[in-house]
Amino acid sequence: MDLPNKPVSIPESSPIAEKYSSMVALWAKKYVQSLHPPEVGSGSKNVPWLMTQVATKVERSLPFAMARGLSHSENLLTEELHRQGIHPSLIDGWQINEDCRTLFKVLLDALNQGKSPESLSASGTQIFKTIRHRYTREDGRVLGFVSLQIHATSQFLTEHLTSEERRLLAPYQKVIDDHLYIPIYDMLEAAAELEADAPALQAVWHLLPLVSPIARHLVSHVQENFPAHRTYTGLLRDDIVMRSSIRDAEMFQIYLCLSALQNSPDAVCRELFPLCVMLYPRLQVSWELVRSMLIELDRTLEERLSSDHYQVFTRYLDTFHEIFSQAVVA
């Protein structure tokens, strides 16, 4: 597979490259703040051995998990793909499987080399960016099918792991999920185009370290307000649903950042909204739940950001409220 040699085509010594690298580093630091090291009963000296053991089990199970992941995504979304008129040629099963193998090889290499999740987030940039771009450049909805397959594969891989092994693997799985669902690279490239003192860049810079804490707060808020809501996968408080919910709450915030940096809500309207319309009904995520999350996001940003930084996002928060309103999606 041909991969770019650099994340973006800019001179390495230029000020833009320096800003890009700074934003990459800031995003990687998110994992330092939001992910915790595995709890190993006998002490941290056992972590390298445990990482190698998990890598061996994952590699052995991968072909079967990939086959089940493909079947799962086809069963769930094939009818929706037809209903939405997505051209079959855009769903290239061979290429999707190749990309799935590539992503999990990166994960396995990280485990075998003793790399941390934040190191995987930074070192895998080129591969993650290339794969995500492949499925968004013609029709962003295709990313929904691919991401669901890879997410399902990731979950099937954990079935034969112990609880301790699952805890160790979870942060690495989250890195892959984040880099597929979330427009990290579009955000970074948009940031690299702005002057360092641009209000939008300053606002995003202050929001990024808060993205994960805010996402966890939003998920808690939704759990409290919809205690009996059951998605396709389970109740909102179930671990697997909670992890996906946190990722989605982070995804909405990064699309908000991208809109501010691009001075346009185009990415939200072109990519995020169609993706949600395709996935959420099939996954039994109610629009009322989404609207509640967005109201709480607005309130939380106003509370946690300075007035100037909050004002940068208000126009795009209004866009979220409008496109996900009951008048648009019931």
Side-chain angles (χ1 to χ4, degrees), residues 27 30-36 104 107 117-118 120-121 128 150-151 154-155 158 166-182 184 211-213 215-216 219 242-251 253-254:
W27 178 260
K30 185 176 82 71
Y31 290 95
V32 178
Q33 298 170 341
S34 66
L35 302 175
H36 303 286
F104 285 104
L107 184 152
E118 59 268 24
L120 171 62
S121 177
F128 297 143
I150 292 171
H151 177 75
S154 186
Q155 296 307 312
T158 67
R166 289 194 192 102
R167 283 197 301 272
L168 184 145
L169 185 61
Y172 298 87
Q173 294 173 303
K174 177 171 168 52
V175 170
I176 289 180
D177 255 10
D178 280 4
H179 282 269
L180 284 178
Y181 278 94
I182 299 174
I184 300 168
V211 163
S212 291
R216 290 193 293 272
V219 171
M242 187 161 59
R243 287 196 296 270
S244 296
S245 300
I246 290 172
R247 179 207 63 218
D248 282 8
E250 292 177 336
M251 175 177 69
Q253 291 178 76
I254 298 304

Side-chain angles (χ1 to χ4, degrees), residues 222-231 234-236:
V222 169
Q223 288 172 341
E224 290 172 7
N225 284 274
F226 300 86
H229 184 78
R230 179 176 289 275
T231 70
L235 293 169
L236 294 177

Side-chain angles (χ1 to χ4, degrees), residues 74-146:
E74 286 180 339
N75 290 339
L76 193 62
L77 290 182
T78 295
E79 181 181 331
E80 188 65 20
L81 293 173
H82 288 307
R83 189 178 75 84
Q84 297 215 11
I86 298 174
H87 200 281
S89 66
L90 297 177
I91 308 296
D92 184 339
W94 182 88
Q95 184 65 65
I96 293 171
N97 279 332
E98 284 299 298
D99 288 336
C100 187
R101 284 192 193 91
T102 298
L103 288 170
F104 285 104
K105 182 181 185 304
V106 173
L107 184 152
L108 289 168
D109 288 345
L111 289 172
N112 282 318
Q113 295 168 21
K115 290 183 178 179
S116 64
E118 59 268 24
S119 175
L120 171 62
S121 177
S123 65
T125 292
Q126 297 174 32
I127 292 174
F128 297 143
K129 177 176 182 284
T130 298
I131 290 176
R132 190 178 194 278
H133 178 66
R134 194 192 318 283
Y135 300 110
T136 57
R137 63 189 173 200
E138 291 189 55
D139 188 333
R141 293 172 298 178
V142 177
L143 181 65
F145 181 91
V146 176

Side-chain angles (χ1 to χ4, degrees), residues 23-318:
M23 292 291 283
V24 170
L26 183 58
W27 178 260
K29 283 183 180 179
K30 185 176 82 71
Y31 290 95
V32 178
Q33 298 170 341
S34 66
L35 302 175
H36 303 286
E39 297 176 6
V40 181
S42 302
S44 59
K45 64 183 179 181
N46 289 332
V47 172
W49 171 83
L50 185 62
M51 292 174 79
T52 301
Q53 176 175 285
V54 171
T56 299
K57 288 187 176 183
V58 167
E59 186 170 19
R60 188 184 305 133
S61 303
L62 185 57
F64 308 101
M66 285 176 55
R68 291 178 64 191
L70 175 60
S71 176
H72 174 83
S73 54
E74 286 180 339
N75 290 339
L76 193 62
L77 290 182
T78 295
E79 181 181 331
E80 188 65 20
L81 293 173
H82 288 307
R83 189 178 75 84
Q84 297 215 11
I86 298 174
H87 200 281
S89 66
L90 297 177
I91 308 296
D92 184 339
W94 182 88
Q95 184 65 65
I96 293 171
N97 279 332
E98 284 299 298
D99 288 336
C100 187
R101 284 192 193 91
T102 298
L103 288 170
F104 285 104
K105 182 181 185 304
V106 173
L107 184 152
L108 289 168
D109 288 345
L111 289 172
N112 282 318
Q113 295 168 21
K115 290 183 178 179
S116 64
E118 59 268 24
S119 175
L120 171 62
S121 177
S123 65
T125 292
Q126 297 174 32
I127 292 174
F128 297 143
K129 177 176 182 284
T130 298
I131 290 176
R132 190 178 194 278
H133 178 66
R134 194 192 318 283
Y135 300 110
T136 57
R137 63 189 173 200
E138 291 189 55
D139 188 333
R141 293 172 298 178
V142 177
L143 181 65
F145 181 91
V146 176
S147 298
L148 184 64
Q149 177 179 340
I150 292 171
H151 177 75
T153 297
S154 186
Q155 296 307 312
F156 291 138
L157 285 172
T158 67
E159 289 185 347
H160 300 295
L161 300 181
T162 66
S163 58
E164 185 177 47
E165 290 167 343
R166 289 194 192 102
R167 283 197 301 272
L168 184 145
L169 185 61
Y172 298 87
Q173 294 173 303
K174 177 171 168 52
V175 170
I176 289 180
D177 255 10
D178 280 4
H179 282 269
L180 284 178
Y181 278 94
I182 299 174
I184 300 168
Y185 311 107
D186 294 338
M187 178 191 69
L188 295 174
E189 290 176 2
E193 295 298 320
L194 298 179
E195 296 298 325
D197 59 354
L201 184 58
Q202 290 298 312
V204 168
W205 188 265
H206 281 82
L207 176 56
L208 278 182
L210 302 175
V211 163
S212 291
I214 288 176
R216 290 193 293 272
H217 166 73
L218 295 176
V219 171
S220 294
H221 168 82
V222 169
Q223 288 172 341
E224 290 172 7
N225 284 274
F226 300 86
H229 184 78
R230 179 176 289 275
T231 70
Y232 178 86
T233 312
L235 293 169
L236 294 177
R237 293 190 180 276
D238 292 348
D239 284 346
I240 186 172
V241 180
M242 187 161 59
R243 287 196 296 270
S244 296
S245 300
I246 290 172
R247 179 207 63 218
D248 282 8
E250 292 177 336
M251 175 177 69
F252 271 76
Q253 291 178 76
I254 298 304
Y255 271 102
L256 182 65
C257 291
L258 176 59
S259 297
L261 293 169
Q262 292 182 333
N263 193 30
S264 168
D266 182 59
V268 172
C269 299
R270 185 191 70 251
E271 197 170 291
L272 175 64
F273 181 69
L275 194 64
C276 292
V277 168
M278 184 176 78
L279 289 179
Y280 281 175
R282 303 299 295 177
L283 297 175
Q284 298 171 21
V285 176
S286 80
W287 295 118
E288 195 58 39
L289 185 153
V290 175
R291 285 189 281 271
S292 177
M293 181 199 72
L294 290 174
I295 291 170
E296 183 63 15
L297 172 61
D298 198 335
R299 189 198 66 77
T300 303
L301 292 180
E302 185 174 16
E303 177 184 275
R304 299 197 187 187
L305 296 177
S306 70
S307 177
D308 287 346
H309 292 153
Y310 171 68
Q311 287 301 317
V312 167
F313 297 114
T314 53
R315 170 189 169 194
Y316 310 107
L317 287 165
D318 288 344

